[in-house]
Each structure stands twice: as C-alpha cells, then as structure tokens.
Amino acid sequence: MNGFARVLLRSILSAASAASLLSVQVSRAQSAPAISSPSPAYREVTDELGRIVRVPQPIQRIVSLAPSLTETVYALGLQDHLVGDTEYCDYPPDAQKKPKVGGAINPSLEQIAALHPDIVLVTSLNRFETLQALETIGISSYATDPHNVDEIITSSKRLADVLGAPEAGTSVAEGMQRHLADLQRRIGPAPAKRVLFVVWHQPLISVGKRTFIADALRLAGAVSIVESEQDWPKVSLEEVARLQPDFLVFADSHSEATPSTVETLATLPGWSILEAVSKRRYAVISDAVNRPAPRIVAAIEELARQLHPEAFREKPENKEKTEKENPPPNPPLAAHYSSSLDGVQHRMAFPGGCACAR
C-alpha cells in the first residue's frame, strides 16, 4: 500500500470513529431525561367543607379571612407568613398591623391578589362566592368549619399540617387538651350552673345547643337554658323568666357603642324580673369565647372561675405543700394563652359578635 493509500485509510477510519462516537453521544442524549426549569410543587388536601384543594408547597404567604384563623396562625407561630387579614382581625395586637383586605363577608379580591398569597384561609363565615372567585383567579383557599371544642382542637392541628407546621399543631392541640383536662378535674364534681349566654339583648339572641359556644359553656361547668337547634335563636324574655337561669353570661366586646357595664341591664324594661339580674349574678368573659381558635380555652377557664370559684380555691393545708412540691406555680390557663386577659374589664357585650367573630 503506497503512502497515499495509507493516509486515505487513516482518514476513513478516523471519520468512522468520529461518527461512531457522535452516534453514541446522540443516543445518550436522547435517552437522558430532559432538563427543564422547576415547576411549582403542589399537594392535594381535603378541607373541612369537603373540597379537594391543591396547595402550593411550601406555603410562604398566607392571607386570613377570619379573626379565628388569624389567631390560630399566630398560635402556631406562623405569623411571619401572614401577609394579610381582615379589618376584624384584632388579636393578637400585632395582627392589626397586617395589610387589610376588607371584611370577612366582602373582602377585596384585588387586594388579596396583590398580596400574592400561596393560600387564603376561610371559614363557614365567608361566602361561597368568595371561594369560587378565588378559584377562578387561581388562588388556593382552605376552609375550616369546627362545631365544638374538640373539633376546634382537631381543626387547629389539621390546619398546622396543611401549612407545613405539624409539630406546632401537635404542641398546640396537646396544650389545649391538657388544660381542659385539668379544668374537668377541678370542676367535674360540681353541679352545672344553668346559664343564658347573651349574644344580643334587643331582640334577645342566644346560642343554640349545637354551637361551639354551647360546648364551651359545658366545659366551663355550665349548661345553656336554650335548647334551640338554630345557631343564633331569638329568645323571649318571658321564657327566660320562666326558666330563671342561675347566671347571665356575656362576652366582653370592648365596644364603646354598647352599655359600658352590666349594671345597665337592670334598668331595661322586663329584665328586672330575672333573679340573676336582681341578684347581679353575671359572668363577663373574654370575647375569645366567640372565636373557634386555641384561645377559647382561656375563655372557658375564665368562665369556670366565675361560676365555680370554690374549685379554684386551694385549701390552706394543701397550699404550703403544693408550693414546696411545685415551685414556681404554673400560670393560669388564661395567662398561658393571653396575657391581655389579666385585666379583663367586666363590661357587657351587646352584641357578643358570635356570628361575625369567627
């Protein structure tokens, strides 16, 4: 083979080798997974209205459309992720500093969208049209709907899991259960006080037996004289006079537009025929009782202390022993959930705000 032939052969072999290598590279490229920009991750959950909701992961930006949900977000330690709430979200005080999106019934969709939330938290208080509108503009919403105190505990824990803080949810739920169990040990043997929970006085409105407020009364060692199936039934003063409750229970609304003291009640037409009024047997507690959130435990304890003070008096012979065995003593439940309850003023709540405070 002459020199030219050798050079030509080398060229052919080199070209064949290069073609073979290129073929392998193309084959590998075709079999390798395509590289693309990451897309948002989602998780499907079922909310308390039975809706299947796609929730972005992780959740970084939250908008709350109910005071109870705002309180729960704070109780879970997720307040830094709360980018907006309603005009009625007033607890804790820091919640008042968050950007407002209007009221619970008619929030501004434009303001909600401008906050770019990953999720909007709603309750049965909010209109279904609001949920539909949020879905239309591509914003996920999650609804809670507890009807008793046990469901409030479960709901708080479930919400924590949805928001990516299951440990916080477990801690809050266990704390609520522990404190309620302690209350039951204290007041369990005492006969329940018969009470009328006053939501509004003209017309007189109370709470139905299936509401979480009625359940809170029960856990505080009370039973409502109202047996209505309606959530917020109107009650006649004549019927209340016939039943003669042991106590009237009010939620403190801190409203300057309402009578500033329960003493005013005795001057209203017809109310003086109630023994609880003539003998000034009132119990005024925090408006936390109106909100299905962890702080309701503080309101339950507060009511129990007023209805059953003997259950919270420590016998002299046991006081010194207790102090030695458990220094320092644990703060009361109300202080655990809200230091602002230490100086709750005893003022009448007309209205109690049950329907709009959720």
Side-chain angles (χ1 to χ4, degrees):
M1 182 179 295
N2 58 31
F4 175 78
R6 282 204 253 346
V7 172
L8 181 60
L9 180 60
R10 287 197 196 98
S11 299
I12 293 172
L13 291 175
S14 178
S17 177
S20 176
L21 179 59
L22 179 61
S23 175
V24 170
Q25 290 174 334
V26 170
S27 176
R28 286 177 179 173
Q30 289 174 340
S31 62
I35 299 175
S36 61
S37 58
S39 59
Y42 287 88
R43 172 189 173 196
E44 281 194 351
V45 299
T46 302
D47 71 7
E48 293 175 27
L49 296 182
R51 302 181 309 138
I52 297 176
V53 181
R54 294 180 75 236
V55 180
Q57 297 293 303
I59 293 176
Q60 299 291 349
R61 300 177 65 82
I62 303 168
V63 167
S64 166
L65 295 187
S68 61
L69 291 169
T70 295
E71 288 197 17
T72 303
V73 169
Y74 273 86
L76 296 172
L78 299 175
Q79 60 271 16
D80 289 345
H81 296 289
L82 185 67
V83 297
D85 61 20
T86 75
E87 297 168 356
Y88 300 101
C89 295
D90 57 1
Y91 188 91
D94 184 69
Q96 300 177 42
K97 303 175 185 176
K98 298 292 184 178
K100 303 303 175 184
V101 296
I105 304 301
N106 292 299
S108 167
L109 293 176
E110 292 80 6
Q111 290 177 331
I112 293 174
L115 293 171
H116 304 290
D118 296 315
I119 193 168
V120 175
L121 305 181
V122 300
T123 71
S124 55
L125 164 69
N126 305 110
R127 296 186 308 156
F128 190 69
E129 289 83 357
T130 299
L131 277 65
Q132 291 177 314
L134 289 171
E135 184 178 355
T136 299
I137 60 177
I139 298 178
S140 299
S141 63
Y142 178 87
T144 64
D145 190 29
H147 294 89
N148 57 51
V149 175
D150 278 344
E151 289 183 7
I152 293 172
I153 295 173
T154 302
S155 179
S156 299
K157 187 175 180 180
R158 186 181 295 125
L159 179 61
D161 181 66
V162 170
L163 297 179
E167 298 85 1
T170 298
S171 177
V172 167
E174 289 179 350
M176 294 174 72
Q177 291 166 334
R178 183 170 58 253
H179 293 140
L180 289 172
D182 180 62
L183 270 178
Q184 298 316 299
R185 283 192 295 270
R186 286 179 177 270
I187 65 175
K193 302 292 186 182
R194 298 171 61 256
V195 304
L196 173 69
F197 187 93
V198 180
V199 176
W200 194 276
H201 74 300
Q202 288 181 331
L204 178 56
I205 297 176
S206 188
V207 294
K209 63 182 181 180
R210 299 188 185 280
T211 61
F212 66 85
I213 296 179
D215 192 43
L217 297 177
R218 178 184 63 81
L219 293 172
V223 59
S224 174
I225 64 170
V226 178
E227 288 289 319
S228 176
E229 295 286 341
Q230 299 177 24
D231 286 350
W232 317 109
K234 289 184 180 180
V235 186
S236 72
L237 196 54
E238 292 77 12
E239 179 66 7
V240 175
R242 184 183 71 81
L243 295 172
Q244 288 294 341
D246 299 322
F247 279 83
L248 302 184
V249 181
F250 306 93
D252 185 1
S253 68
H254 304 286
S255 172
E256 296 178 359
T258 59
S260 61
T261 172
V262 292
E263 296 300 322
T264 306
L265 197 61
T267 68
L268 299 178
W271 284 84
S272 59
I273 63 176
L274 299 183
E275 214 173 284
V277 172
S278 62
K279 294 185 177 180
R280 304 298 193 267
R281 290 201 298 258
Y282 306 127
V284 185
I285 59 176
S286 162
D287 64 352
V289 73
N290 290 335
R291 298 179 179 182
R295 195 166 57 109
I296 196 172
V297 174
I300 293 171
E301 184 207 3
E302 195 179 356
L303 179 57
R305 286 179 177 273
Q306 294 184 56
L307 298 182
H308 302 282
E310 69 286 349
F312 296 88
R313 289 195 202 104
E314 195 155 9
K315 295 180 180 180
E317 61 268 25
N318 294 334
K319 186 175 182 181
E320 185 177 347
K321 179 181 177 181
T322 301
E323 289 176 348
K324 287 181 179 178
E325 292 178 351
N326 303 289
N330 290 326
L333 306 188
H336 177 81
Y337 285 101
S338 169
S339 59
S340 69
L341 296 184
D342 293 342
V344 171
Q345 301 174 4
H346 284 193
R347 298 187 300 172
M348 181 162 46
F350 296 142
C354 300
C356 66
R358 290 172 67 95

